[in-house]
Amino acid sequence: MTERPEHTDPRDPHAMTRRQLMRHSAWFGAAVGLAVVGGEVVSHVAGTADATPNRPTLRFAQISDSHIGFQGTANPDVTGTFTEAIGQVNALGYQPDFVIHTGDLTHLATPGQFDQVRQMMTGLSTPHIFTVPGEHDSTDDAGQRYRAVFGQGTSGDGWYSFDIAGVHVIGLVNTLNLQNLGHLGADQLDFVRKDVAGLTDDTPIIVFSHIPLFAMYPQWGWGTDDAAQALSYLRRFSSVTCLNGHVHQLFSKTEGNVTFYSGTTTAYPLPHPGDGPAPKPLTLPAGKLHAALGIREITYRKGQRQLAIKEQELK
């Protein structure tokens, strides 16, 4: 996480505070509009360049799994494709209200790789950038190097929440203390419980983490062992959306009022669940890599209970 505002203006309808989205499955590249049940969302930020009556109330982008430092045939230039993804966000035709990176910013968690990612993401045309770590960002130090660069203002091992335009957003860390599956731990579960306790049931909730919060493919570690406890605190809300990275491919699953979305990568694809003995970087035929990489764009309009979701492959 970076560029988090410590002080906010209560007159700004997009002001964020510390206390204070898709039924679609596809492996590569798709676009779909989705209905969501949520509360009324306030109008645009006054004074922005694109503050027009038709401007969507909330617009943000998700990028994931940049793996800066990776070297291999699956993608010999992860810096180049991450640069392309940043350029694609900047070419959306508007400035996103924020951008989230759902982990594995680096491949080996070295200080140089973290510094490179940080510098590259300063090129994103957005006022706010939020991140959570992947397991590659905490390979041998329990995430200390990650938090030194991206953890300002977070709690515990790097978790946090904020409110924007009537939506409550929670960033969770499930890549530490791994056995096979992702793990949140007692302190973070208690954080979630307390964090949402004062929210009304019609508050739209967005949760983002690196490893899926559902059992996508436990045999490969694609799930979180104590996610059910965290989700139990969210069952009363009418709209809950969970976004994750880690699996390097698009996938979605709905359980009651909770919808889970796995995002694609800017680095290299992984095999579909069960294709092969392990999730190793997948080398595609020449010319096919970009179709497996991409970003996610989300927009929401005031007065409409609908999110417009677009999965964009790298151009």
Side-chain angles (χ1 to χ4, degrees):
M1 179 182 63
T2 188
E3 300 182 29
R4 287 179 46 73
E6 294 300 324
H7 304 282
T8 57
D9 183 346
R11 297 168 298 178
D12 181 350
H14 276 58
M16 287 183 278
T17 68
R18 291 289 302 153
R19 282 270 324 148
Q20 307 275 130
L21 119 144
M22 335 209 200
R23 185 141 199 222
H24 180 74
S25 263
W27 293 113
F28 302 120
V32 62
L34 301 160
V36 64
V37 178
E40 179 72 5
V41 182
V42 295
S43 62
H44 63 265
V45 180
T48 55
D50 55 359
T52 67
N54 294 324
R55 181 201 188 281
T57 304
L58 182 64
R59 305 185 289 200
F60 70 95
Q62 178 190 5
I63 54 179
S64 195
D65 294 272
S66 47
H67 284 273
I68 294 302
F70 171 80
Q71 296 179 341
T73 59
N75 185 348
D77 186 13
V78 293
T79 298
T81 50
F82 190 43
T83 299
E84 291 178 45
I86 290 171
Q88 197 153 329
V89 171
N90 293 342
L92 290 174
Y94 59 86
Q95 184 183 79
D97 295 304
F98 60 92
V99 174
I100 62 172
H101 190 306
T102 44
D104 279 353
L105 295 86
T106 71
H107 196 63
L108 297 173
T110 68
Q113 289 172 8
F114 281 124
D115 185 61
Q116 182 178 358
V117 174
R118 180 190 62 79
Q119 291 190 46
M120 293 179 71
M121 290 204 299
T122 62
L124 282 163
S125 180
T126 182
H128 309 290
I129 302 169
F130 300 99
T131 70
V132 289
E135 77 281 5
H136 283 265
D137 299 317
S138 49
T139 53
D140 59 1
D141 69 344
Q144 293 183 43
R145 289 189 293 272
Y146 164 83
R147 290 191 296 276
V149 179
F150 295 102
Q152 294 83 356
T154 64
S155 300
D157 290 324
W159 55 80
Y160 57 96
S161 68
F162 61 92
D163 289 289
I164 181 167
V167 178
H168 190 69
V169 185
I170 308 172
L172 297 180
V173 178
N174 56 358
T175 54
L176 303 179
N177 304 309
L178 299 177
Q179 298 298 319
N180 177 41
L181 298 172
H183 184 72
L184 295 167
D187 290 345
Q188 193 167 195
L189 290 171
D190 193 50
F191 163 78
V192 175
R193 179 182 63 82
K194 294 176 180 176
D195 182 63
V196 302
L199 300 176
T200 59
D201 293 356
D202 61 352
T203 303
I205 306 292
I206 297 172
V207 182
F208 66 100
S209 62
H210 182 63
I211 298 174
L213 293 175
F214 67 100
M216 180 174 176
Y217 199 67
Q219 297 91 318
W220 285 356
W222 290 2
T224 300
D225 59 13
D226 51 358
Q229 185 65 44
L231 294 172
S232 72
Y233 305 133
L234 307 179
R235 296 296 180 190
R236 68 181 177 89
F237 295 98
S238 57
S239 174
V240 181
T241 301
C242 298
L243 306 174
N244 66 269
H246 188 55
V247 303
H248 292 218
Q249 55 200 272
L250 300 175
F251 191 77
S252 69
K253 175 182 174 64
T254 299
E255 295 180 359
N257 65 322
V258 183
T259 306
F260 306 90
Y261 295 91
S262 296
T264 189
T265 171
T266 72
Y268 52 81
L270 292 174
H272 301 170
D275 287 356
K280 301 293 185 181
L282 188 63
T283 301
L284 298 179
K288 300 295 185 181
L289 176 61
H290 274 57
L293 311 179
I295 66 170
R296 172 177 281 150
E297 175 189 5
I298 303 100
T299 63
Y300 183 54
R301 291 185 180 276
K302 179 184 178 181
Q304 297 180 359
R305 298 191 174 210
Q306 182 174 355
L307 292 172
I309 310 295
K310 183 180 290 185
E311 315 287 1
Q312 297 190 18
E313 65 185 44
L314 289 194
K315 299 175 182 177

